[in-house]
Amino acid sequence: MTTDRYDAVIVGGGHNGLVSAFYLARAGLRVCVLERRELVGGACTTEEFAPGFKASPGAYVLSMLRPAIWSDLRLRERGLVVDAATPSLNLYPDGSHLFLHGDAAEASEEIARFSKRDARRYPAFEERLATLAEAILPVFDRTPPDPRALRMRELPDLAWFARLGMRNRKLLGELSFLFTTSIAQYLDGWFESDELKSALGWEGISNTLSGSKAFGTAYVLLHDHASGVGQQNWGFVRGGMGEVTRLLAEAATEHGALIRTDAEVERILVRGGRATGVVLAGSGEEIGSDLVISNADPKRTLLGLVGERELPHEVVGAIRAYRTEGASMKINLGVDELPRLAGFEGADTAGSQQPYHRALVQLTKPLGDLDLDQAQARAGRPAPEPHVELCVPSVLDPSLAPEGSHVVTIGVRSQPYTLAEGTWDERKEAIADDVIARVGGSFPNLPRSVRHREVLSPLDLERRLSLTGGHHMHGDMSPDQLLFLRPIRGYGSYRSPIDGLYLCGAGTHPGGGVTGANGRNCAARVLRDGRRSRGVRV
């Protein structure tokens, strides 16, 4: 039963799907967004996990939302407020700590306690990475052209990239090295302190099962530093991450987009090699459209919603091989007092707020030890004492917890989606117990202050947020899965093997993070293609 037709149907109301909906609706298309859950947002939501306690099951810090999206969707005027987070406090097994301040001079004073040589080099390191990040940042806002493209219509994109390369030709050697080398090798070339190298390098392996010596892991340094170039804010969203997607939805709706929740897409209809609409789960309702844009990850879209029979054999094989093995679990805690750090210098009495309460706190260790944790995870064994990231967003936004209480969010790394023994449903609570006990070694009052908790294993993240493998980024951010190779060779332009079906999620260029670039770039591609072949008016 076909109920209606639209110019474009968007599968999934995550942030990229909502951004695409805005730009397509603004261009005059009749757009319908179909969201499986009862609320929009995908991995960018604010949800109550216990009475009065709210947190995100996915992203919990905003850092890379593109300036054009801030401007075009008037997010600041709509009331989006981001409270700046204090940079990371890194805690080590021997009881030492390193506070990486945002100011390079202050950070260097901290680093000097571990290595005076590293302290002298750190400002130059930060400046160099900022320069490299600024050089590549324009690429985030463009469709990456396939170098093999032979069609005339692709030549302007190739020419643009060639001009960008010429402008930055003095940096090309170092950029190429960063894209291909390991995080360990790159940092070894700059620093000698294990503490500093782990503080800078853990992010390079946090969303994968790779070790720090794996080729290509250094790129994440560049991706993260791009978050500090020309951005509106970096920190915690007031009202939680769901406020971002609520306002994106508001902007899209104002331009005429229809957003339907509790509307799970069971299948993308394909006839004669092209998309013709979707079928909803349960009701069997068909919604027709010559344009289908999927915010779901590439595996879920192509192997699940489309089906292998509609795809070329080589595409099926490549998408199956696309790496989406999640490597982390999430714990949200409702506590009745602020966590207090043992041995922290300065006054730290119950209820008093300290700089580390506004920071991202890392319980970490040298990269070599993190590599051992990752090796265990690759073998299907959750690391028993893994890297842990902790923050207290309710310090900056009291609306997230009842008065006098707080929300503590914990990210746990080296936790593989595929287990060698048992199931996640059987094991997750015991693993969470161990994590909280370990965090209690640094924050002694935390374990006894916990009143509520939510434990989300990689399997839970897959079930709840439709993330294949529980992967936050819709796939590893490695050089063979970036730019025109993301998600697979030949399909890095947001187009799919099915005519009229496009991808706009984090499994496309420029990858994961709450950037909105994927959705904006995809909409631009759809409109350009439509202008050429379908008479769509822009």
Side-chain angles (χ1 to χ4, degrees), residues 95 156 466:
S466 294

Side-chain angles (χ1 to χ4, degrees), residues 13 19 78 130 161 197 199 227 267 288 294 392 434 490:
V19 167
R78 293 180 189 278
F161 272 77
K197 286 187 285 188
S227 68
R267 182 162 45 97
S294 178
V392 191
D434 291 342

Side-chain angles (χ1 to χ4, degrees), residues 117-284:
R117 175 182 176 274
D118 288 355
R120 290 191 296 271
R121 300 206 71 188
Y122 182 74
F125 168 81
E126 285 288 294
E127 184 177 350
R128 189 61 175 172
L129 274 179
T131 298
L132 294 170
E134 190 168 10
I136 70 156
L137 205 53
V139 176
F140 278 45
D141 299 318
R142 302 280 299 212
T143 298
D146 190 333
R148 304 174 303 169
L150 299 176
R151 290 174 290 188
M152 290 294 294
R153 69 184 189 182
E154 308 291 354
L155 294 182
D157 288 333
L158 283 168
W160 183 88
F161 272 77
R163 289 194 299 272
L164 181 67
M166 286 299 294
R167 286 201 304 270
N168 295 289
R169 58 188 178 276
K170 293 182 180 179
L171 302 176
L172 288 179
E174 193 167 356
L175 284 169
S176 300
F177 182 60
L178 254 174
F179 265 90
T180 54
T181 193
S182 69
I183 191 81
Q185 184 174 4
Y186 188 77
L187 292 175
D188 282 346
W190 278 94
F191 304 117
E192 61 186 8
S193 162
D194 284 339
E195 290 81 5
L196 178 58
K197 286 187 285 188
S198 72
L200 295 170
W202 73 270
E203 186 67 59
I205 59 176
S206 68
N207 289 299
T208 76
L209 294 176
S210 299
S212 68
K213 294 182 175 62
F215 295 125
T217 50
Y219 166 74
V220 176
L221 273 178
L222 205 55
H223 191 82
D224 287 350
H225 272 70
S227 68
V229 178
Q231 300 304 303
Q232 303 290 324
N233 281 107
W234 186 99
F236 299 106
V237 175
R238 204 169 296 175
M241 291 296 287
E243 189 68 4
V244 177
T245 44
R246 185 185 73 80
L247 295 175
L248 296 179
E250 179 181 280
T253 302
E254 283 182 5
H255 282 278
L258 173 67
I259 299 175
R260 291 179 57 179
T261 55
D262 293 309
E264 180 178 1
V265 173
E266 181 179 86
R267 182 162 45 97
I268 294 173
L269 294 171
V270 179
R271 296 190 178 97
R274 69 164 299 113
T276 61
V278 301
V279 177
L280 298 188
S283 67

